[in-house]
Amino acid sequence: MDADFWLERWRQGQTGFHLNKTTPLLAKYWPTLGLPRASRVLVPLCGKSLDMLWLAGQGHQVLGVELSPLAVEQFFAENRLVPEMRPTPAGTLYSAGSIQILCGDIFALGQADFAGCAGAYDRAALIALPASMRERYVRHVYGQLPDPCRTLLLTLEYDQGEMAGPPFAVLEEEVRTLYASWASVSVRDRRGILDKEPSFAARGLTRLDTVVYELRRTLA
């Protein structure tokens, strides 16, 4: 799955993955990470997520990374924020208050771009990637985050044979394998949500669960 796929989704307005509110599981479980106010928080493949506003409202410095310029521009316009923009080697950096979004390919970011991130929030990145890309993603992004770091990760579980992604099913066994060398993995919540997602039932799913993980990386 290449960059053009996602760029086209934004151009066509095929963004059913976008929520017009804060993700309830973020508000419920983020405080359990215990990150101090003013901590820098990475939001990979952020789109125009309102979760960034919520994190900023908790006092955090937010760093979103998003491939689509349309998504980035819509985020600031729809939230009546006027960003400053400057070029960087990895893409254009938009900044407004305590929110920054780097518009570029996350695989182009280097360790300096992730410097200072004490936490990460991943609702839409891991499940947006096919299995063939997920190990590379974890190695590139999480392998460059500084120690220590705490992450709230949300995934979906369903029978991949019943529906083609994205979003893709990422089972607990795979999550533990992907992050085994990087952090401890704890399940904080698992719940069935198919009754709340009729569009997924219409695509043929008979089960759909969302799982919340806490990932903790300690000093090496």
Side-chain angles (χ1 to χ4, degrees), residues 50-87:
L50 298 180
D51 292 341
M52 292 186 286
L53 292 177
W54 187 89
L55 288 165
Q58 307 310 299
H60 296 308
Q61 300 294 317
V62 177
L63 173 63
V65 182
E66 171 55 43
L67 183 67
S68 169
L70 277 177
V72 177
E73 291 164 6
Q74 288 174 19
F75 172 81
F76 288 105
E78 291 172 5
N79 293 295
R80 300 181 180 180
L81 299 172
V82 180
E84 296 181 357
M85 294 173 282
R86 66 177 177 87

CSV table of all heavy atoms in Angstrom, one decimal, residues 50-87:
chain,number,residue,atom,x,y,z
A,50,LEU,N,-9.2,15.1,16.0
A,50,LEU,CA,-9.5,16.0,17.1
A,50,LEU,C,-8.8,15.5,18.4
A,50,LEU,O,-8.8,16.3,19.3
A,50,LEU,CB,-11.0,16.1,17.3
A,50,LEU,CG,-11.8,16.7,16.1
A,50,LEU,CD1,-13.3,16.8,16.4
A,50,LEU,CD2,-11.3,18.1,15.7
A,51,ASP,N,-8.3,14.3,18.4
A,51,ASP,CA,-7.6,13.8,19.5
A,51,ASP,C,-6.4,14.7,19.8
A,51,ASP,O,-5.9,14.8,21.0
A,51,ASP,CB,-7.2,12.4,19.3
A,51,ASP,CG,-8.3,11.4,19.3
A,51,ASP,OD1,-9.4,11.8,19.8
A,51,ASP,OD2,-8.2,10.3,18.8
A,52,MET,N,-5.8,15.3,18.8
A,52,MET,CA,-4.7,16.2,19.0
A,52,MET,C,-5.1,17.4,19.8
A,52,MET,O,-4.3,17.9,20.7
A,52,MET,CB,-4.1,16.6,17.6
A,52,MET,CG,-3.4,15.5,16.9
A,52,MET,SD,-2.5,16.0,15.4
A,52,MET,CE,-3.9,16.3,14.3
A,53,LEU,N,-6.3,18.0,19.6
A,53,LEU,CA,-6.8,19.1,20.4
A,53,LEU,C,-7.0,18.7,21.8
A,53,LEU,O,-6.6,19.4,22.8
A,53,LEU,CB,-8.1,19.6,19.8
A,53,LEU,CG,-8.1,20.3,18.5
A,53,LEU,CD1,-9.5,20.7,18.1
A,53,LEU,CD2,-7.2,21.5,18.5
A,54,TRP,N,-7.5,17.4,22.0
A,54,TRP,CA,-7.7,17.0,23.4
A,54,TRP,C,-6.3,16.8,24.1
A,54,TRP,O,-6.2,17.2,25.3
A,54,TRP,CB,-8.4,15.6,23.4
A,54,TRP,CG,-8.8,15.1,24.7
A,54,TRP,CD1,-9.9,15.4,25.4
A,54,TRP,CD2,-8.0,14.3,25.6
A,54,TRP,NE1,-9.9,14.8,26.7
A,54,TRP,CE2,-8.7,14.1,26.8
A,54,TRP,CE3,-6.7,13.7,25.5
A,54,TRP,CZ2,-8.2,13.3,27.9
A,54,TRP,CZ3,-6.2,12.9,26.6
A,54,TRP,CH2,-7.0,12.7,27.7
A,55,LEU,N,-5.3,16.2,23.4
A,55,LEU,CA,-4.0,16.1,24.1
A,55,LEU,C,-3.4,17.4,24.4
A,55,LEU,O,-2.8,17.6,25.5
A,55,LEU,CB,-3.1,15.3,23.1
A,55,LEU,CG,-3.4,13.8,23.0
A,55,LEU,CD1,-2.7,13.2,21.8
A,55,LEU,CD2,-3.0,13.0,24.3
A,56,ALA,N,-3.5,18.4,23.5
A,56,ALA,CA,-3.0,19.7,23.7
A,56,ALA,C,-3.8,20.3,24.9
A,56,ALA,O,-3.2,21.0,25.8
A,56,ALA,CB,-3.2,20.6,22.5
A,57,GLY,N,-5.1,20.0,25.1
A,57,GLY,CA,-5.8,20.5,26.2
A,57,GLY,C,-5.4,20.0,27.5
A,57,GLY,O,-5.7,20.5,28.6
A,58,GLN,N,-4.7,18.8,27.5
A,58,GLN,CA,-4.1,18.2,28.7
A,58,GLN,C,-2.8,18.8,29.1
A,58,GLN,O,-2.1,18.4,30.0
A,58,GLN,CB,-4.0,16.7,28.6
A,58,GLN,CG,-5.2,16.0,28.1
A,58,GLN,CD,-6.5,16.3,28.9
A,58,GLN,OE1,-6.5,16.1,30.1
A,58,GLN,NE2,-7.5,16.9,28.3
A,59,GLY,N,-2.4,19.8,28.3
A,59,GLY,CA,-1.1,20.5,28.5
A,59,GLY,C,0.1,20.0,27.8
A,59,GLY,O,1.2,20.4,28.0
A,60,HIS,N,-0.2,19.0,26.9
A,60,HIS,CA,1.0,18.4,26.1
A,60,HIS,C,1.4,19.2,24.9
A,60,HIS,O,0.6,20.0,24.3
A,60,HIS,CB,0.6,17.0,25.7
A,60,HIS,CG,0.3,16.0,26.8
A,60,HIS,ND1,1.2,15.9,27.8
A,60,HIS,CD2,-0.7,15.2,27.1
A,60,HIS,CE1,0.8,15.0,28.7
A,60,HIS,NE2,-0.4,14.6,28.3
A,61,GLN,N,2.6,19.0,24.5
A,61,GLN,CA,3.1,19.5,23.2
A,61,GLN,C,2.9,18.4,22.2
A,61,GLN,O,3.5,17.3,22.3
A,61,GLN,CB,4.6,19.9,23.3
A,61,GLN,CG,4.9,21.0,24.3
A,61,GLN,CD,4.3,22.3,24.0
A,61,GLN,OE1,4.4,22.7,22.8
A,61,GLN,NE2,3.7,23.0,24.9
A,62,VAL,N,2.1,18.6,21.2
A,62,VAL,CA,1.7,17.6,20.3
A,62,VAL,C,2.5,17.7,19.0
A,62,VAL,O,2.6,18.7,18.4
A,62,VAL,CB,0.2,17.7,20.0
A,62,VAL,CG1,-0.3,16.6,18.9
A,62,VAL,CG2,-0.6,17.5,21.2
A,63,LEU,N,3.0,16.5,18.5
A,63,LEU,CA,3.6,16.4,17.2
A,63,LEU,C,2.9,15.4,16.4
A,63,LEU,O,3.0,14.2,16.6
A,63,LEU,CB,5.1,16.0,17.4
A,63,LEU,CG,5.8,15.7,16.0
A,63,LEU,CD1,5.9,16.9,15.2
A,63,LEU,CD2,7.2,15.1,16.3
A,64,GLY,N,2.1,15.8,15.5
A,64,GLY,CA,1.4,14.9,14.5
A,64,GLY,C,2.3,14.8,13.3
A,64,GLY,O,3.1,15.6,12.9
A,65,VAL,N,2.1,13.6,12.7
A,65,VAL,CA,2.8,13.3,11.4
A,65,VAL,C,1.7,12.9,10.4
A,65,VAL,O,1.0,11.9,10.7
A,65,VAL,CB,3.9,12.3,11.5
A,65,VAL,CG1,4.6,12.1,10.2
A,65,VAL,CG2,4.9,12.7,12.6
A,66,GLU,N,1.6,13.5,9.3
A,66,GLU,CA,0.6,13.2,8.3
A,66,GLU,C,1.1,13.4,6.9
A,66,GLU,O,1.7,14.4,6.6
A,66,GLU,CB,-0.7,14.1,8.5
A,66,GLU,CG,-1.8,14.0,7.5
A,66,GLU,CD,-2.2,12.6,7.2
A,66,GLU,OE1,-2.4,11.9,8.2
A,66,GLU,OE2,-2.4,12.3,6.1
A,67,LEU,N,0.8,12.5,6.0
A,67,LEU,CA,1.2,12.5,4.6
A,67,LEU,C,0.4,13.5,3.8
A,67,LEU,O,1.0,14.1,2.9
A,67,LEU,CB,1.1,11.1,4.0
A,67,LEU,CG,1.5,10.9,2.6
A,67,LEU,CD1,3.1,11.0,2.5
A,67,LEU,CD2,1.1,9.5,2.1
A,68,SER,N,-0.9,13.6,4.0
A,68,SER,CA,-1.7,14.4,3.2
A,68,SER,C,-1.7,15.9,3.5
A,68,SER,O,-2.2,16.3,4.6
A,68,SER,CB,-3.2,13.9,3.2
A,68,SER,OG,-4.0,14.8,2.6
A,69,PRO,N,-1.3,16.8,2.6
A,69,PRO,CA,-1.5,18.2,2.9
A,69,PRO,C,-2.9,18.6,3.1
A,69,PRO,O,-3.2,19.5,3.9
A,69,PRO,CB,-0.9,18.9,1.6
A,69,PRO,CG,0.0,17.8,1.0
A,69,PRO,CD,-0.7,16.5,1.3
A,70,LEU,N,-3.9,18.0,2.4
A,70,LEU,CA,-5.3,18.3,2.6
A,70,LEU,C,-5.7,18.1,4.0
A,70,LEU,O,-6.4,18.9,4.6
A,70,LEU,CB,-6.1,17.5,1.6
A,70,LEU,CG,-6.3,18.0,0.2
A,70,LEU,CD1,-7.1,17.0,-0.6
A,70,LEU,CD2,-6.9,19.3,0.1
A,71,ALA,N,-5.3,17.0,4.6
A,71,ALA,CA,-5.7,16.6,5.9
A,71,ALA,C,-5.1,17.7,6.9
A,71,ALA,O,-5.8,18.2,7.8
A,71,ALA,CB,-5.2,15.3,6.3
A,72,VAL,N,-3.9,18.1,6.7
A,72,VAL,CA,-3.2,19.0,7.6
A,72,VAL,C,-3.9,20.4,7.5
A,72,VAL,O,-4.3,21.0,8.5
A,72,VAL,CB,-1.7,19.2,7.3
A,72,VAL,CG1,-1.1,20.2,8.1
A,72,VAL,CG2,-1.0,17.8,7.4
A,73,GLU,N,-4.2,20.8,6.2
A,73,GLU,CA,-4.8,22.1,6.0
A,73,GLU,C,-6.2,22.1,6.6
A,73,GLU,O,-6.7,23.1,7.2
A,73,GLU,CB,-4.8,22.5,4.6
A,73,GLU,CG,-3.4,22.7,4.0
A,73,GLU,CD,-3.4,22.7,2.5
A,73,GLU,OE1,-4.4,22.5,1.9
A,73,GLU,OE2,-2.2,22.8,1.9
A,74,GLN,N,-7.0,21.0,6.5
A,74,GLN,CA,-8.3,20.9,7.0
A,74,GLN,C,-8.3,21.0,8.5
A,74,GLN,O,-9.2,21.6,9.1
A,74,GLN,CB,-9.0,19.7,6.5
A,74,GLN,CG,-9.4,19.7,5.0
A,74,GLN,CD,-9.9,18.4,4.5
A,74,GLN,OE1,-10.4,17.6,5.3
A,74,GLN,NE2,-10.0,18.3,3.2
A,75,PHE,N,-7.3,20.3,9.1
A,75,PHE,CA,-7.3,20.4,10.6
A,75,PHE,C,-7.2,21.8,11.1
A,75,PHE,O,-7.9,22.2,12.0
A,75,PHE,CB,-6.1,19.6,11.1
A,75,PHE,CG,-5.8,19.7,12.6
A,75,PHE,CD1,-6.6,19.0,13.5
A,75,PHE,CD2,-4.9,20.6,13.1
A,75,PHE,CE1,-6.4,19.1,14.8
A,75,PHE,CE2,-4.7,20.8,14.4
A,75,PHE,CZ,-5.5,20.0,15.3
A,76,PHE,N,-6.2,22.6,10.6
A,76,PHE,CA,-6.1,23.9,11.1
A,76,PHE,C,-7.2,24.8,10.7
A,76,PHE,O,-7.7,25.6,11.5
A,76,PHE,CB,-4.7,24.5,10.6
A,76,PHE,CG,-3.5,23.9,11.2
A,76,PHE,CD1,-2.8,22.9,10.5
A,76,PHE,CD2,-3.2,24.2,12.5
A,76,PHE,CE1,-1.7,22.4,11.1
A,76,PHE,CE2,-2.1,23.6,13.1
A,76,PHE,CZ,-1.3,22.7,12.4
A,77,ALA,N,-7.7,24.7,9.5
A,77,ALA,CA,-8.9,25.5,9.0
A,77,ALA,C,-10.1,25.2,9.9
A,77,ALA,O,-10.8,26.2,10.3
A,77,ALA,CB,-9.1,25.4,7.6
A,78,GLU,N,-10.4,24.0,10.0
A,78,GLU,CA,-11.7,23.6,10.7
A,78,GLU,C,-11.6,23.9,12.2
A,78,GLU,O,-12.7,24.1,12.8
A,78,GLU,CB,-11.9,22.1,10.5
A,78,GLU,CG,-12.3,21.8,9.1
A,78,GLU,CD,-12.4,20.3,8.8
A,78,GLU,OE1,-12.3,19.5,9.7
A,78,GLU,OE2,-12.6,19.9,7.6
A,79,ASN,N,-10.4,24.0,12.8
A,79,ASN,CA,-10.3,24.4,14.2
A,79,ASN,C,-9.9,25.8,14.4
A,79,ASN,O,-9.5,26.2,15.5
A,79,ASN,CB,-9.3,23.4,14.8
A,79,ASN,CG,-9.9,22.0,14.9
A,79,ASN,OD1,-10.8,21.7,15.5
A,79,ASN,ND2,-9.2,21.1,14.1
A,80,ARG,N,-10.0,26.6,13.3
A,80,ARG,CA,-9.7,28.0,13.4
A,80,ARG,C,-8.4,28.4,14.0
A,80,ARG,O,-8.2,29.3,14.8
A,80,ARG,CB,-10.8,28.8,14.1
A,80,ARG,CG,-12.2,28.6,13.5
A,80,ARG,CD,-13.3,29.3,14.2
A,80,ARG,NE,-14.6,29.1,13.6
A,80,ARG,CZ,-15.8,29.6,14.1
A,80,ARG,NH1,-15.7,30.4,15.1
A,80,ARG,NH2,-16.9,29.4,13.5
A,81,LEU,N,-7.4,27.6,13.5
A,81,LEU,CA,-6.0,27.8,13.9
A,81,LEU,C,-5.2,28.3,12.7
A,81,LEU,O,-5.4,27.8,11.6
A,81,LEU,CB,-5.4,26.5,14.5
A,81,LEU,CG,-6.1,25.9,15.7
A,81,LEU,CD1,-5.5,24.6,16.0
A,81,LEU,CD2,-5.9,26.9,16.9
A,82,VAL,N,-4.4,29.3,12.9
A,82,VAL,CA,-3.5,29.8,11.8
A,82,VAL,C,-2.1,29.4,12.1
A,82,VAL,O,-1.4,29.9,13.0
A,82,VAL,CB,-3.6,31.3,11.7
A,82,VAL,CG1,-2.8,31.9,10.6
A,82,VAL,CG2,-5.1,31.8,11.6
A,83,PRO,N,-1.6,28.4,11.3
A,83,PRO,CA,-0.3,27.9,11.6
A,83,PRO,C,0.8,28.7,10.9
A,83,PRO,O,0.6,29.3,9.9
A,83,PRO,CB,-0.4,26.5,11.0
A,83,PRO,CG,-1.3,26.6,9.8
A,83,PRO,CD,-2.3,27.7,10.3
A,84,GLU,N,2.0,28.6,11.6
A,84,GLU,CA,3.2,29.0,10.9
A,84,GLU,C,3.8,27.8,10.2
A,84,GLU,O,3.6,26.7,10.7
A,84,GLU,CB,4.2,29.6,11.9
A,84,GLU,CG,3.8,30.8,12.6
A,84,GLU,CD,4.8,31.3,13.6
A,84,GLU,OE1,5.8,30.7,13.8
A,84,GLU,OE2,4.6,32.4,14.2
A,85,MET,N,4.4,28.0,9.1
A,85,MET,CA,4.9,26.9,8.3
A,85,MET,C,6.4,27.1,8.0
A,85,MET,O,6.8,28.2,7.7
A,85,MET,CB,4.1,26.8,7.0
A,85,MET,CG,2.7,26.4,7.1
A,85,MET,SD,1.8,26.4,5.6
A,85,MET,CE,1.5,28.1,5.4
A,86,ARG,N,7.1,26.0,8.1
A,86,ARG,CA,8.5,26.1,7.7
A,86,ARG,C,9.0,24.8,7.1
A,86,ARG,O,8.5,23.7,7.6
A,86,ARG,CB,9.4,26.5,8.8
A,86,ARG,CG,9.6,25.5,10.0
A,86,ARG,CD,10.5,26.0,11.0
A,86,ARG,NE,10.6,25.1,12.2
A,86,ARG,CZ,11.4,24.1,12.2
A,86,ARG,NH1,12.2,23.8,11.2
A,86,ARG,NH2,11.4,23.3,13.3
A,87,PRO,N,9.8,24.8,6.1
A,87,PRO,CA,10.3,23.6,5.5
A,87,PRO,C,11.3,22.9,6.4
A,87,PRO,O,12.1,23.5,7.1
A,87,PRO,CB,11.0,24.0,4.2
A,87,PRO,CG,11.4,25.4,4.5
A,87,PRO,CD,10.4,26.0,5.4
